[in-house]
Amino acid sequence: MKKNVKLVLLLSVSLFLSSCSREETETNSVTNTSERGKILIQTPSGATLEKVGDDYIWLGDILLSPSQVKEVSSKGYFSGLLLKGDKKNPATYVDPNTHLPIAIQGQKASTKAGDPKAAVGIYPRGNNQWGLVRYVLAPNLTQDRHRIINEAMAHWQAHTNVRFYNMTGQSTRRPDGSSHDYIEFVNANVNNSYVGRIGGRQVLNLAQNQDAATAIHEIGHAVGLFHEQSAPNRDDFMNINWGNLRREVWHNFDKVSPATLFEAVDYSSIMMYSSYISDPAFVYNPNIPVMTRKDGSTWGSTRVLSMSDRVLANHLYLPYIPRSDSYRELDDIVYKPDNTIMSSTERLALQAKLNNGNPIPPLGGRVHVN
């Protein structure tokens, strides 16, 4: 039996190295172990990746592109993590969709109750942020998945500037032959997603019998959010009960560094796991919390976007209406970065700024949305 185990591990190492060579994602793997059909890969950076089929997964449910595998393996993170300034020196970026500056204000982190919360996300660049989130629905999606996807997108659109455009049944090719960037919602036995826009087709997997909160969470990854428990300063605010976690899943609770907004961890974020995990593949005792606040208190599952989830999305997105021309038309409701709604005067002024001073969109340019 031991010889067979060694043979499996040797084959796993061989397969991993050969696949990396084909995709130019060599990681110089240190150790490989099998875990419930997965290959766990300990990389030189210290990050642990799961290889399942052709997919590389990080932090439990984050899919990685070949270039991201290489970066995470060598650095422990991938390009595009959003850094935050402070009150005197905000981190200022240029929105790739609007070409307008974005000032991400920061505050000193503190563990006191009621302190500002921050979401963990990615730097907005032209190659990782969506204007409209184009998507298609896989033909074999079950009815329950259709329902939760629609509920999740409706929730994002009701509370943020993120907008979705259904391309199902349409060509995913542009007139010049290049591919649109889009999400394909897929039936799977797992829930996972890429973080941000990676280019071309990217899948968002949803398992059977999930609820809308799961879809909201995975869409959160796709629009650019990481897990709250992965924040680099999370140990200032919470404790991880490693003794109740099975050793093979410890990597799901790794910190991402450097990562973003150095403020208090948001326990109510849709991107934060519950204190309690019931899956026996993760924990020894489901009645003992995996995560607690510093004072020992716990929190439950979140089913909706928190204020900080919305703040990050509303910093980085504007609610564009799909058009066949180049005019940038905004939806009637536009959220400010503080989650308040712009007045019609403010909205028209912004629309004019986006369109060389013209606040009035040309007639006939809107595209019908399914």
Side-chain angles (χ1 to χ4, degrees):
M1 180 63 71
K2 289 183 178 179
K3 289 183 179 179
N4 289 337
V5 171
K6 289 180 179 178
L7 178 60
V8 169
L9 292 179
L10 286 173
L11 287 173
S12 297
V13 173
S14 175
L15 288 170
F16 170 68
L17 292 177
S18 63
S19 65
C20 285
S21 176
R22 287 196 303 270
E23 298 174 340
E24 297 182 347
T25 57
E26 179 63 65
T27 63
N28 296 317
S29 167
V30 176
T31 60
N32 290 259
T33 58
S34 295
E35 182 255 316
R36 294 179 176 268
K38 304 171 184 176
I39 301 172
L40 299 185
I41 303 165
Q42 185 71 35
T43 66
S45 70
T48 300
L49 304 182
E50 299 174 11
K51 188 172 189 297
V52 182
D54 293 330
D55 291 333
Y56 290 88
I57 302 167
W58 187 35
L59 301 172
D61 69 339
I62 294 174
L63 291 166
L64 296 177
S65 69
S67 63
Q68 290 172 339
V69 172
K70 185 174 181 180
E71 284 192 284
V72 171
S73 297
S74 62
K75 299 186 299 187
Y77 60 93
F78 59 76
S79 298
L81 291 173
L82 175 65
L83 301 177
K84 185 163 184 137
D86 55 34
K87 280 186 172 181
K88 293 183 179 179
N89 301 292
T92 302
Y93 311 111
V94 175
D95 187 308
N97 297 307
T98 66
H99 304 292
L100 300 175
I102 307 169
I104 309 292
Q105 298 285 346
Q107 298 188 27
K108 184 178 179 180
S110 171
T111 58
K112 294 179 181 178
D115 280 341
K117 308 299 188 295
V120 182
I122 60 172
Y123 177 94
R125 296 180 180 178
N127 66 348
N128 67 18
Q129 186 188 0
W130 306 87
L132 283 168
V133 182
R134 290 180 167 87
Y135 72 94
V136 300
L137 301 170
N140 63 344
L141 278 175
T142 57
Q143 198 61 39
D144 72 298
R145 289 180 178 90
H146 275 280
R147 176 183 56 78
I148 67 168
I149 290 166
N150 288 333
E151 287 181 14
M153 289 190 295
H155 182 72
W156 273 98
Q157 293 192 143
H159 299 287
T160 74
N161 290 331
V162 177
R163 291 295 179 270
F164 301 90
Y165 175 50
N166 188 354
M167 295 185 67
T168 304
Q170 301 179 22
S171 173
T172 58
R173 293 284 176 182
R174 298 186 180 94
D176 64 4
S178 62
S179 175
H180 283 294
D181 298 337
Y182 66 97
I183 293 168
E184 182 169 1
F185 289 96
V186 176
N187 280 345
N189 57 7
V190 294
N191 302 295
N192 53 41
S193 172
Y194 293 91
V195 173
R197 178 167 63 93
I198 67 164
R201 172 183 178 268
Q202 64 185 74
V203 299
L204 191 156
N205 290 310
L206 289 172
Q208 192 173 4
N209 298 323
Q210 301 299 306
D211 58 16
T214 301
I216 294 169
H217 175 100
E218 297 303 337
I219 290 172
H221 284 315
V223 301
L225 298 179
F226 274 87
H227 297 138
E228 282 292 297
Q229 65 268 16
S230 296
N233 63 334
R234 65 107 189 271
D235 293 335
D236 295 335
F237 304 97
M238 55 189 289
N239 296 318
I240 306 292
N241 183 1
W242 301 105
N244 194 34
L245 280 169
R246 297 186 183 275
R247 180 65 183 85
E248 60 267 26
V249 301
W250 281 10
H251 60 278
N252 290 327
F253 295 84
D254 287 349
K255 292 181 286 187
V256 176
S257 182
T260 63
L261 320 182
F262 297 99
E263 295 182 12
V265 164
D266 183 5
Y267 306 104
S268 63
S269 170
I270 193 69
M271 310 310 294
M272 172 67 92
Y273 290 176
S274 170
S275 287
Y276 292 89
I277 295 177
S278 59
D279 187 346
F282 268 73
V283 297
Y284 294 106
N285 187 338
N287 297 314
I288 296 176
V290 167
M291 296 179 289
T292 62
R293 296 182 180 88
K294 286 297 184 180
D295 63 6
S297 61
T298 60
W299 60 91
S301 298
T302 299
R303 303 184 59 81
V304 297
L305 295 171
S306 71
M307 291 297 289
S308 72
D309 296 333
R310 295 175 59 200
V311 162
L312 187 58
N314 291 331
H315 261 102
L316 302 181
Y317 286 87
L318 287 175
Y320 291 120
I321 293 173
R323 295 184 62 89
S324 59
D325 53 29
S326 61
Y327 190 89
R328 292 173 172 171
E329 183 178 4
L330 298 173
D331 204 347
D332 290 340
I333 294 179
V334 181
Y335 285 100
K336 300 178 185 179
D338 64 358
N339 295 340
T340 60
I341 297 174
M342 286 187 182
S343 68
S344 59
T345 301
E346 290 172 319
R347 176 177 58 82
L348 288 174
L350 175 58
Q351 190 161 281
K353 192 171 185 179
L354 295 170
N355 294 281
N356 300 315
N358 178 17
I360 307 301
L363 295 176
R366 287 193 179 188
V367 174
H368 173 70
V369 178
N370 293 333

